[in-house]
Amino acid sequence: MQQIYLFDFDGVISDSRKELYNTSLSSFLRLLKKNKVEFNRKYFNKINLYDEFLVNFDLAHSSSDFYILWNKIFLEKNIFSTKPINNNLKLKYKEEFYKYRKKLKQENINKWIKYHKINRKVKNYINNYKNNKNIYIVSAKDRPSLKLLKKEHNINVRDENLISTSKYE
């Protein structure tokens, strides 16, 4: 019987919280602006928002979930000064999320790569495993991003063993 090892990229191989924080919050703010939703700037402190993001991070599993997460945080912290945006905009948020991620990568790919802190123990396990044919990496990131991060961080997994669940290839 052949053994196969699956590793999730975000959260197991890489701590991607900084990238997700930046992308998700920036996308949310862009959506607020486009929909003329105002918020109280005096309560808007990114350091506190990052702490709130970390507390709520495990609630989000997809880009749409980050819309819900930020809506929840803004409501709980009384950051909205006009009527908050509704759940009908989740789809628009998802588009905004991937557009912003793409823009971030295009503007400064090295910064985007550095947002992904690699777990050295997991990387060493993968790179020292004798049969890398049996090791797969799964991620919600698009396949080209996975290939780039794998290459930049010297992770020894075959390209055909990168599995993307992203619909934004």
Side-chain angles (χ1 to χ4, degrees):
M1 184 166 152
Q2 185 178 11
Q3 291 183 322
I4 294 176
Y5 299 92
L6 294 172
F7 292 90
D8 182 29
F9 189 80
D10 297 303
V12 176
I13 296 173
S14 168
D15 179 352
S16 306
R17 290 178 294 187
K18 285 185 180 177
E19 190 266 340
L20 290 169
Y21 168 77
N22 187 322
T23 301
S24 66
L25 178 58
S26 296
S27 302
F28 190 71
L29 294 174
R30 289 167 68 136
L31 195 65
L32 293 180
K33 185 176 180 181
K34 284 181 180 179
N35 289 279
K36 298 177 176 50
V37 177
E38 296 177 17
F39 56 94
N40 299 318
R41 297 219 181 258
K42 69 179 184 175
Y43 297 116
F44 188 77
N45 179 329
K46 286 192 177 197
I47 295 169
N48 290 339
L49 284 179
Y50 187 68
D51 292 343
E52 289 296 323
F53 174 80
L54 293 178
V55 167
N56 291 281
F57 178 75
D58 290 336
L59 301 174
H61 301 285
S62 70
S63 57
S64 298
D65 293 342
F66 287 108
Y67 169 83
I68 296 167
L69 180 147
W70 286 116
N71 220 12
K72 174 186 179 295
I73 291 170
F74 274 49
L75 283 168
E76 286 176 357
K77 299 297 176 187
N78 295 314
I79 296 173
F80 288 119
S81 58
T82 60
K83 184 179 175 194
I85 47 184
N86 61 45
N87 281 336
N88 295 332
L89 292 175
K90 263 200 313 190
L91 209 54
K92 287 184 181 179
Y93 174 79
K94 190 175 191 175
E95 292 169 13
E96 194 67 48
F97 180 92
Y98 288 105
K99 261 198 293 189
Y100 184 79
R101 179 182 270 169
K102 185 176 181 178
K103 178 182 177 236
L104 182 63
K105 285 169 46 181
Q106 288 171 341
E107 287 177 355
N108 193 339
I109 191 70
N110 292 327
K111 182 178 181 179
W112 182 80
I113 289 169
K114 286 180 183 173
Y115 277 144
H116 299 83
K117 184 178 177 200
I118 299 299
N119 180 327
R120 289 178 196 242
K121 287 182 181 178
V122 176
K123 176 186 167 183
N124 289 339
Y125 178 84
I126 291 170
N127 287 349
N128 292 326
Y129 190 74
K130 61 184 175 246
N131 187 359
N132 75 350
K133 285 189 220 175
N134 297 350
I135 294 181
Y136 292 79
I137 295 175
V138 181
S139 178
K141 283 188 173 29
D142 61 277
R143 194 170 159 79
S145 294
L146 270 178
K147 285 172 103 172
L148 174 66
L149 290 165
K150 175 194 85 101
K151 180 183 174 195
E152 289 297 319
H153 291 293
N154 298 313
I155 299 171
N156 187 22
V157 171
R158 300 171 354 161
D159 286 350
E160 56 267 25
N161 290 13
L162 300 175
I163 302 168
S164 169
T165 61
S166 175
K167 294 178 177 121
Y168 291 88
E169 288 272 341

